[in-house]
Amino acid sequence: IAGDGVMLRGQGQFDLAQDSAALSSGSTANTLLSAWPDPAELLSETHFYLSLGDHPGEQEQAIHWAEVAVSRDPTNPSLLGMLASYQLDAGQFESAKQTSLRAEKYLPYWPATLNDLGIASLVLGEQSEARHWFAISLEVTPQQPSIRELYDGKCKLDVHHIGLSLLSRSCSKT
């Protein structure tokens, strides 16, 4: 019960952008609930949030804690998707592809995972594989303008601007 209480407090602190407090509560919850992925997920999200500001070194911590969360629930496609997104953001394209393939195994028609697979494949120079993943994603969710442009070859991927907001701003016209 104490672990759940600390976890709830940490989630609330994260939602209010109280980063130090969220990390402290997440760490305590991780000690009390070490078998569960939730505390590691909270720590991962908090470190990732910090990495977007003036703390770029936090990105590796975000990936580490996402890996811990995945190790505690290895068939959870949401956790695998979070890890893959963080890996893409960090430029770990082959790792992101492998993680996304694992997520796709458990939730085959999740557009975020299919898009991550397409983006990683594009960066790795695997054009036909990228088109394959984008085609499936567009079949599931047709209203994805940036993915449609990548699929149609109307824009190119800017490797220096890959991140969680890729689909809304980083598609530069060819």
Side-chain angles (χ1 to χ4, degrees):
I1 293 175
D4 286 339
V6 174
M7 185 67 204
L8 283 173
R9 185 175 67 209
Q11 288 169 331
Q13 291 162 332
F14 175 76
D15 291 343
L16 295 172
Q18 296 173 343
D19 307 319
S20 295
L23 287 174
S24 177
S25 295
S27 182
T28 301
N30 189 59
T31 300
L32 296 172
L33 303 170
S34 61
W36 297 98
D38 305 70
E41 181 180 13
L42 172 63
L43 289 167
S44 179
E45 291 170 337
T46 306
H47 281 290
F48 185 77
Y49 177 75
L50 288 170
S51 78
L52 299 174
D54 296 331
H55 311 286
E58 297 288 330
Q59 194 172 51
E60 286 302 315
Q61 284 296 308
I63 291 170
H64 164 75
W65 284 107
E67 289 170 339
V68 170
V70 166
S71 74
R72 294 175 182 173
D73 190 357
T75 63
N76 184 322
S78 179
L79 294 175
L80 288 161
M82 178 181 72
L83 174 58
S85 293
Y86 293 174
Q87 290 168 326
L88 273 178
D89 194 66
Q92 299 174 2
F93 304 117
E94 185 59 42
S95 295
K97 181 179 173 187
Q98 296 308 312
T99 302
S100 293
L101 284 169
R102 288 175 53 204
E104 189 264 345
K105 176 180 169 184
Y106 300 109
L107 190 57
Y109 299 106
W110 189 15
T113 295
L114 298 167
N115 293 341
D116 285 351
L117 282 164
I119 291 164
S121 296
L122 265 183
V123 173
L124 295 169
E126 302 162 350
Q127 307 300 340
S128 63
E129 192 168 340
R131 281 185 55 79
H132 166 77
W133 295 117
F134 290 147
I136 297 170
S137 178
L138 288 166
E139 213 172 294
V140 174
T141 307
Q143 298 302 329
Q144 300 181 79
S146 294
I147 294 300
R148 172 68 62 196
E149 288 181 342
L150 286 169
Y151 177 76
D152 291 341
K154 293 181 180 176
C155 71
K156 63 180 181 171
L157 195 59
D158 184 350
V159 177
H160 303 292
H161 291 102
I162 290 178
L164 294 182
S165 59
L166 164 78
L167 304 182
S168 62
R169 68 173 174 82
S170 294
C171 192
S172 56
K173 302 292 180 191
T174 55

